[in-house]
Amino acid sequence: MSLDSPEFSRGALLYQGKAKQVYATHDPARIIIHYTDGATAFNGLKKAEIADKGVINCRISAFFMEKVAAAGVPVAFERNLNDRDQLCLAVDIIPVEVVVRNVVAGGLARKLGLPEGQKLPAPLVEHFYKSDTLNDPQINESTAVLLGWAKAWELRAMHEYSLRVNSVLQAFWNELGIDLVDFKLEFGRVSIGSATAVVLADEITPDGSRLWERSTGRHLDKDVFRRDLGDLSETYRELYKRVFGKTV
Ligand code: CDP
């Protein structure tokens, strides 16, 4: 699917991320997120190019952003312009990342000495300070409010939206026999007249999620790259096929 748009094209590079670039457009209220094939882990220490990862993530994120928007979560995503470019509202990113967990894995297992795979009795919502130099340390909501990173009402909205996203994603993956173990979300502020609203920004992709096939325990996410479990390009192609019912 290619929705080439004559009206919006990439302007100045505003931000060079690890797997994405952000560009200005002629409209100051909109940006373009460009998905590259780059993959990094351990805060950039491990790097690779993964064939077609950008195209796969661009489409998967659009698919889920539309789904959560339909469930009432305001999103910055507007539409895909082509295979790798996504038109979004320009937001002021809130430097507090939200991780939702349904099953113990990764950082939580390491920190608390819990076995990976242990089911949590309810979704656990965690907060991390978005800082590459500090390696995204875990914080709590009081820290975020006290240091002025987010207002209490913004954190409440983020919490509610994160749980709603979890319900939507969990239901979807469940149907496919895949457990949604955890995922990370980022939010931003948009101005509507003199008011500010919180919207879901960034991406919903297997780069920022853990997805385990229920019948085999196979990892269908970026842990394949982080933990050298196999070929990430092949894994993402397989995931794409399960989501869209066709090859990329
Ligand atoms: O990945 P790691 O074990 O270091 O951290 P985690 O806190 O267990 O990660 C929880 C979830 O958030 C996983 O699905 C990660 O892919 C995602 N995450 C992310 O997308 N970006 C980060 N900077 C940290 C975690």
Side-chain angles (χ1 to χ4, degrees):
M1 183 185 62
S2 178
L3 290 173
D4 276 307
S5 163
E7 313 117 65
F8 285 94
S9 55
R10 281 184 255 151
L13 178 66
L14 298 177
Y15 170 77
Q16 171 75 55
K18 294 166 199 151
K20 302 192 295 289
Q21 294 156 345
V22 178
Y23 291 89
T25 69
H26 67 271
D27 176 356
R30 290 185 169 75
I31 51 108
I32 288 174
I33 298 182
H34 177 76
Y35 286 75
T36 71
D37 286 343
T40 63
F42 313 115
N43 201 7
L45 283 179
K46 184 172 176 180
K47 282 193 195 128
E49 290 292 303
I50 310 294
D52 286 335
K53 176 163 122 28
V55 175
I56 292 170
N57 277 351
C58 186
R59 291 184 188 159
I60 286 183
S61 194
F63 176 78
F64 285 123
M65 287 294 178
E66 280 170 8
K67 255 191 197 307
V68 302
V73 176
V75 299
F77 168 83
E78 292 197 323
R79 64 193 160 96
N80 279 357
L81 298 172
N82 54 51
D83 277 351
R84 290 177 183 272
D85 289 334
Q86 208 157 77
L87 187 67
C88 299
L89 292 176
V91 303
D92 170 27
I93 285 282
I94 296 171
V96 177
E97 300 184 348
V98 178
V99 168
V100 182
R101 302 178 185 273
N102 299 302
V103 177
V104 173
L108 182 65
R110 284 196 301 276
K111 220 166 15 204
L112 301 184
L114 296 170
E116 280 206 314
Q118 181 178 317
K119 283 210 163 51
L120 293 164
L124 174 63
V125 179
E126 295 183 335
H127 298 85
F128 295 83
Y129 177 45
K130 188 173 159 62
S131 163
D132 282 344
T133 43
L134 298 175
N135 252 321
D136 300 343
Q138 189 169 9
I139 55 165
N140 64 24
E141 289 167 293
S142 306
T143 313
V145 172
L146 213 70
L147 296 180
W149 296 331
K151 306 261 191 247
W153 72 266
E154 292 174 327
L155 291 162
R156 280 196 296 276
M158 289 158 66
H159 190 272
E160 186 206 319
Y161 296 155
S162 298
L163 289 178
R164 214 179 303 173
V165 170
N166 187 49
S167 300
V168 172
L169 298 184
Q170 225 184 2
F172 178 82
W173 290 119
N174 197 35
E175 283 281 303
L176 296 184
I178 292 170
D179 284 327
L180 176 64
V181 170
D182 56 36
F183 59 93
K184 186 252 311 184
L185 297 176
E186 293 189 24
F187 292 87
R189 301 178 184 100
V190 285
S191 301
I192 305 163
S194 58
T196 303
V198 169
V199 300
L200 178 62
D202 195 43
E203 63 181 286
I204 302 177
T205 68
D207 274 15
S209 317
R210 285 196 172 95
L211 299 162
W212 295 353
E213 186 173 52
R214 196 165 308 132
S215 58
T216 63
R218 178 180 172 192
H219 294 238
L220 294 166
D221 54 55
K222 205 172 87 173
D223 272 350
V224 168
F225 174 68
R226 294 190 191 99
R227 301 180 182 189
D228 292 320
L229 300 175
D231 182 334
L232 190 67
S233 182
E234 195 272 318
T235 303
Y236 276 27
R237 279 171 210 280
E238 175 61 33
L239 192 72
Y240 183 93
K241 207 162 79 192
R242 296 197 193 181
V243 172
F244 296 111
K246 58 182 183 196
T247 53
V248 63

